[in-house]
Amino acid sequence: MSTAAATPAPAPRPAPPSIREASLDDVEGIVRVVNLAYRTQGGWTTEEHLVGGARTDAEDVRAAIADDTHLLLVAERDGAIVGCCYTDRQGDSAELGLFAVDPTLQAGGVGGALMEEQARRRADEGLASLHLRVLESRQELQAWYARHGFVETGEVVPFAGDAANLKVPGLGMAVMVRALA
């Protein structure tokens, strides 16, 4: 008779989130998840040590929903918004932004599912590429985007938000692009 303990079975991976276009009813949930992801110490996407102030607010989210060049998607589990991202169509490309996942669910596939749904929908519209800006000091985020098909362009642009919120003066944003065709 063996005295070795049985190896526990791995925990089941949660079901993929449902993904849909955002509505005005989602504004509060989107603001909550974005500010949790970027302005608290909970997750690996936090910018709390680099940027102060709120990452977004209800007015900005409502404007994104109302703008017909934007496609704002939300990921839900059990009726709660757990992630979001938008793309802003600009000619034959779209800029990815407002990309956030609840810190308690990061590294669980929600972000990848959102990214791929944005890419699929924009490719179906005939767009050639997605591009994004990421804080140049966030190498781990750049590496994540690279694993999802984005390549660095070598271009660095000024911080996209209010420069007064930067805790690291002069911090720029690296531009990355992903072909859709």
Side-chain angles (χ1 to χ4, degrees):
M1 178 148 108
S2 173
T3 58
T7 304
R13 186 169 175 99
S18 62
I19 297 175
R20 61 174 175 77
E21 279 192 55
S23 74
L24 290 174
D25 292 337
D26 300 321
V27 170
E28 183 179 311
I30 293 168
V31 170
R32 180 190 62 78
V33 79
V34 170
N35 287 319
L36 275 173
Y38 287 99
R39 296 301 190 259
T40 65
Q41 295 179 355
W44 71 279
T45 58
T46 186
E47 299 170 347
E48 182 270 337
H49 59 295
L50 300 169
V51 183
R55 174 69 170 76
T56 196
D57 60 31
E59 182 180 337
D60 287 342
V61 173
R62 279 193 291 274
I65 292 169
D67 186 335
D68 66 357
T69 66
H70 285 73
L71 173 60
L72 178 54
L73 299 178
V74 294
E76 286 184 309
R77 278 212 181 117
D78 301 322
I81 293 175
V82 297
C84 63
C85 68
Y86 77 75
T87 49
D88 177 16
R89 189 176 59 246
Q90 301 168 351
D92 69 347
S93 184
E95 181 174 26
L96 181 78
L98 205 64
F99 189 25
V101 173
D102 183 311
T104 64
L105 298 174
Q106 290 177 359
V110 175
L114 278 164
M115 173 79 65
E116 294 311 314
E117 184 63 12
Q118 279 285 0
R120 184 193 66 76
R121 288 183 185 211
R122 290 307 197 174
D124 287 352
E125 292 175 8
L127 272 61
S129 64
L130 294 178
H131 61 276
L132 58 84
R133 295 172 284 174
V134 60
L135 289 171
E136 62 185 325
S137 65
R138 300 301 309 274
Q139 297 297 315
E140 69 281 13
L141 289 177
Q142 291 174 31
W144 188 89
Y145 287 119
R147 289 191 301 274
H148 289 271
F150 285 84
V151 295
E152 295 182 44
T153 65
E155 182 182 6
V156 176
V157 297
F159 177 66
D162 183 352
N165 287 333
L166 283 176
K167 295 180 180 180
V168 179
L171 186 61
M173 302 189 83
V175 177
M176 300 181 77
V177 66
R178 173 181 167 174
L180 294 178

